[in-house]
Amino acid sequence: MKYLKKSFGKIILKTVLVLIFVFSFIRLVNFTIEFSEESIQMDFTAYYAAGKALNNGLSPYKNHVLGRWDLWDGINMFRHSRFLYPPLVANMFQSLAALPYIQAKYIWNFFNLTCLIICFIILIKIFGLNKDFNKILIAGILTFNFFPFITLLERGQVDCITFLLIVLGLMFLMKKEKCYFMSGLFFGIASLFKPYSLLLIPFLFIRKKYKVLYGYASGIILIIILTLSISGYDAVHNYITKELPRISKYHSSGTQEMRIPLEIIQTYLEMTPYSISIIDGRMYLTESISFNSKASFIRILQVLQLKTPLNFSNTTYSVIVFAIFLLMMTIFFKRTLNTETPLTEFIYWQVVLIIILLSSPYTWVMNLVWLMPVAFIIIKIFPQLFTDKKFVILALLIGGYLLLALPDNLLLTKDLPVLGEFFKTRYVISEFLILLSLTLYIKSFKPAIEGVQKA
């Protein structure tokens, strides 16, 4: 009888998990369709406009609304475009930009969803969860409800590509040394979309991963060759000497002098109770969901600076913060990782990714898809932490993940006296909590534990 009750309980648990898993996936697919139909997708429209400008023989870094209103991205208020990436990325969007916007959106959004599923499968394999069906279901539920990815979908961001490249890089890094070149190659290609992934290089030097660095350099060389071959020297020279300094200083924003007269924009921007814009003759909401978007520690330092006589730039703070983190990691892990396991090796690089996100002045909630593996780490180490009574580490880790992964609503929280400020900084707080908990775990781990699979 006791055996029957136990078996019945397992069946009920598995059934409930399967239902939640299926519901979560269907909900994510519905979001993908909803955002494709209703949202302008602020980031994707910048990529699409850049590709469309190139298709018309124009610069992807200019706002052409004054001469060709059909090339406007539906959002931009400046004379320069909101496209921030190297010329080769604009070339990559030319094919999508040849399609009607609604079709391009569907393709892009389901491509992002496919990237997420591939990452999910790879992480299941890396962490060895494929041997436990319940853990696969739990990992899927956490992945498909991960709020940073939902915001990425809504904005149409490019970060799921970089996340896939980084996951592939980590997968090969977890394998034998002969695979290190491929690891570096994927990391190098990721830097095309997110230059801040270059901050992996100092940590690779510290860890003496020279074959990874060789692959990284090869990835960079490959990008340079493709850029010069496809985009041309003039486009590269213009980006490096003119566009990049502006982007570094203002990001997609700019000074008052850089703005287009408001009355011109109002001709094309529908002023209604809802914020609506038009692309290809179709109306879209400027945003389908509202959320606190900032996730950079540098932005907090910039706000705090306003109350002091200091006047440091974002770049200065970024360099200082990263240098401090790098020094602390070098000292803190000098001996610990001499007895590394594949699990602690992966966790170490997850910590490095958090440091990169905290150090970048332009980290947004969408970029936090880089922290999706934290869910898999929790599933993997929860039994050990619970058995060893490491409740502080467990509480920090789970608390940090919940702050990161749970839904947000800016419209509901922005006017709250105290909670409003908390929600503005929730993502930075979550990054620090996860960083602290994973660091403490590495320092306290037992070498005998079975960790991430190593091929």
Side-chain angles (χ1 to χ4, degrees), residues 138-152:
I138 294 170
I141 292 166
L142 294 175
T143 298
F144 300 147
N145 290 284
F146 192 60
F147 188 67
F149 179 74
I150 294 172
T151 66
L152 180 148

Side-chain angles (χ1 to χ4, degrees), residues 388-428:
D388 293 350
K389 298 181 179 180
K390 303 284 187 180
F391 298 126
V392 173
I393 297 177
L394 197 57
L396 290 172
L397 183 56
I398 293 176
Y401 180 78
L402 290 176
L403 274 179
L404 171 70
L406 289 178
D408 189 10
N409 191 317
L410 176 62
L411 296 179
L412 294 179
T413 61
K414 65 178 182 178
D415 295 325
L416 297 176
V418 178
L419 285 177
E421 295 303 314
F422 170 77
F423 277 100
K424 286 180 184 177
T425 58
R426 62 171 278 193
Y427 296 113
V428 175

Side-chain angles (χ1 to χ4, degrees), residues 278-305:
I278 300 175
I279 297 182
D280 279 352
R282 184 185 176 110
M283 290 190 296
Y284 295 99
L285 293 171
T286 53
E287 60 178 23
S288 295
I289 56 175
S290 181
F291 48 85
N292 294 280
S293 60
K294 294 180 177 63
S296 170
F297 181 51
I298 306 303
R299 298 291 297 174
I300 292 179
L301 292 178
Q302 280 283 297
V303 172
L304 293 175
Q305 179 179 257

Side-chain angles (χ1 to χ4, degrees), residues 115 146 204 219 241 258 268 329 361 375 378 387:
C115 288
F146 192 60
L204 291 169
T241 60
M258 296 176 178
Y268 307 109
M329 289 283 283
I378 292 173
T387 301

Side-chain angles (χ1 to χ4, degrees), residues 223-441:
I223 289 170
I224 293 172
I225 292 173
L226 289 174
T227 302
L228 291 173
S229 301
I230 298 173
S231 304
Y233 173 81
D234 290 342
V236 175
H237 182 265
N238 175 70
Y239 180 72
I240 293 174
T241 60
K242 188 174 180 181
E243 307 299 343
L244 194 56
R246 171 185 59 79
I247 291 168
S248 298
K249 187 172 184 178
Y250 299 111
H251 202 241
S252 60
S253 186
T255 63
Q256 194 63 36
E257 291 73 25
M258 296 176 178
R259 285 185 175 274
I260 289 174
L262 183 61
E263 58 271 15
I264 294 176
I265 296 297
Q266 284 177 336
T267 304
Y268 307 109
L269 189 66
E270 295 292 315
M271 304 308 289
T272 69
Y274 302 98
S275 189
I276 293 175
S277 193
I278 300 175
I279 297 182
D280 279 352
R282 184 185 176 110
M283 290 190 296
Y284 295 99
L285 293 171
T286 53
E287 60 178 23
S288 295
I289 56 175
S290 181
F291 48 85
N292 294 280
S293 60
K294 294 180 177 63
S296 170
F297 181 51
I298 306 303
R299 298 291 297 174
I300 292 179
L301 292 178
Q302 280 283 297
V303 172
L304 293 175
Q305 179 179 257
L306 298 175
K307 300 178 181 180
T308 71
L310 298 175
N311 189 27
F312 294 141
S313 66
N314 281 339
T315 303
T316 302
Y317 275 121
S318 183
V319 171
I320 292 172
V321 169
F322 180 74
I324 292 172
F325 274 127
L326 181 63
L327 179 61
M328 290 174 63
M329 289 283 283
T330 304
I331 296 171
F332 205 59
F333 292 119
K334 187 174 182 180
R335 295 182 179 179
T336 303
L337 288 168
N338 292 333
T339 54
E340 69 193 38
T341 68
L343 176 60
T344 53
E345 177 73 2
F346 188 98
I347 292 175
Y348 173 87
W349 291 107
Q350 181 66 84
V351 168
V352 170
L353 293 179
I354 296 173
I355 288 172
I356 292 174
L357 291 169
L358 285 170
S359 301
S360 167
Y362 301 115
T363 298
W364 311 96
V365 59
M366 298 80 74
N367 309 138
L368 299 186
V369 291
W370 285 18
L371 302 190
M372 195 177 292
V374 173
F376 295 79
I377 293 171
I378 292 173
I379 294 169
K380 188 69 182 180
I381 69 176
F382 181 90
Q384 183 207 3
L385 290 175
F386 192 81
T387 301
D388 293 350
K389 298 181 179 180
K390 303 284 187 180
F391 298 126
V392 173
I393 297 177
L394 197 57
L396 290 172
L397 183 56
I398 293 176
Y401 180 78
L402 290 176
L403 274 179
L404 171 70
L406 289 178
D408 189 10
N409 191 317
L410 176 62
L411 296 179
L412 294 179
T413 61
K414 65 178 182 178
D415 295 325
L416 297 176
V418 178
L419 285 177
E421 295 303 314
F422 170 77
F423 277 100
K424 286 180 184 177
T425 58
R426 62 171 278 193
Y427 296 113
V428 175
I429 294 171
S430 73
E431 290 170 86
F432 272 108
L433 289 176
I434 295 169
L435 175 69
L436 177 60
S437 60
L438 293 182
T439 303
L440 291 174
Y441 173 79

